[in-house]
Amino acid sequence: TVVNPSLSAAFCACDPDNKRKEHLFLHGTRYQYAGAIAKEGLDPGKGALSPGVFLGGLALKAHTYASKGPGPQDEDGKRRYTMFVVRARPCLKSGDSERSFGVWRMLAKERMQPIFLIEYAAPDWYGRRVVGNAG
């Protein structure tokens, strides 16, 4: 699903000369938050874990965040999950920070624009670390 195109204006206004490098990232989120994010964008002040929005490039990592709040269960037993493709312009001078393995903590709503909402189904156990003897 394409997310609210009007969010593009704020994103473009934050760097009108397009001097900062733009990246595409993934952001996994609880199913219940997807509607608000699609409508209003990502808000660093509403982070469930800490201030900032975490963006990265690995779908499995994004899924670990999405799996903290799955949506309804399908007839086949799979749960519904959501993640966003996000266009972003990280800026170290403005407080954004790169964490390990290409994960960014973004602090300004204006430098992020969710562009696609991905809703998918997966088994409840998918993405969990398997511990013990596989046998």
Side-chain angles (χ1 to χ4, degrees), residues 63 66-73 76-81 121-128:
H63 175 75
S67 68
K68 295 177 189 299
Q73 192 168 29
D76 61 0
K78 294 179 182 174
R79 300 296 300 256
R80 305 299 295 173
Y81 300 94
D124 204 23
W125 54 263
Y126 182 75
R128 291 191 192 144

Side-chain angles (χ1 to χ4, degrees), residues 14-45:
C14 81
D15 186 17
D17 300 325
N18 201 21
K19 292 182 179 180
R20 289 192 195 115
K21 189 171 183 182
E22 187 176 300
H23 302 272
L24 291 178
F25 294 108
L26 296 172
H27 175 75
T29 190
R30 295 170 190 253
Y31 190 88
Q32 69 192 47
Y33 299 156
I37 292 171
K39 184 178 178 183
E40 303 163 16
L42 292 159
D43 186 346

Side-chain angles (χ1 to χ4, degrees), residues 103-119:
V103 173
W104 280 87
R105 179 175 172 228
M106 301 287 293
L107 297 177
K109 182 177 185 167
E110 298 77 27
R111 290 193 303 276
M112 298 178 287
Q113 180 196 5
I115 53 176
F116 295 106
L117 167 60
I118 301 168
E119 184 176 332

Side-chain angles (χ1 to χ4, degrees), residues 53-106:
V53 172
F54 291 85
L55 306 174
L58 300 175
L60 187 56
K61 201 69 159 157
H63 175 75
T64 62
Y65 289 97
S67 68
K68 295 177 189 299
Q73 192 168 29
D74 289 343
E75 290 179 14
D76 61 0
K78 294 179 182 174
R79 300 296 300 256
R80 305 299 295 173
Y81 300 94
T82 54
M83 70 175 66
F84 287 87
V85 176
V86 179
R87 188 171 113 164
R89 292 187 179 121
C91 181
L92 293 170
K93 291 180 183 178
S94 298
D96 299 335
S97 57
E98 186 173 10
R99 305 293 182 130
S100 60
F101 307 107
V103 173
W104 280 87
R105 179 175 172 228
M106 301 287 293

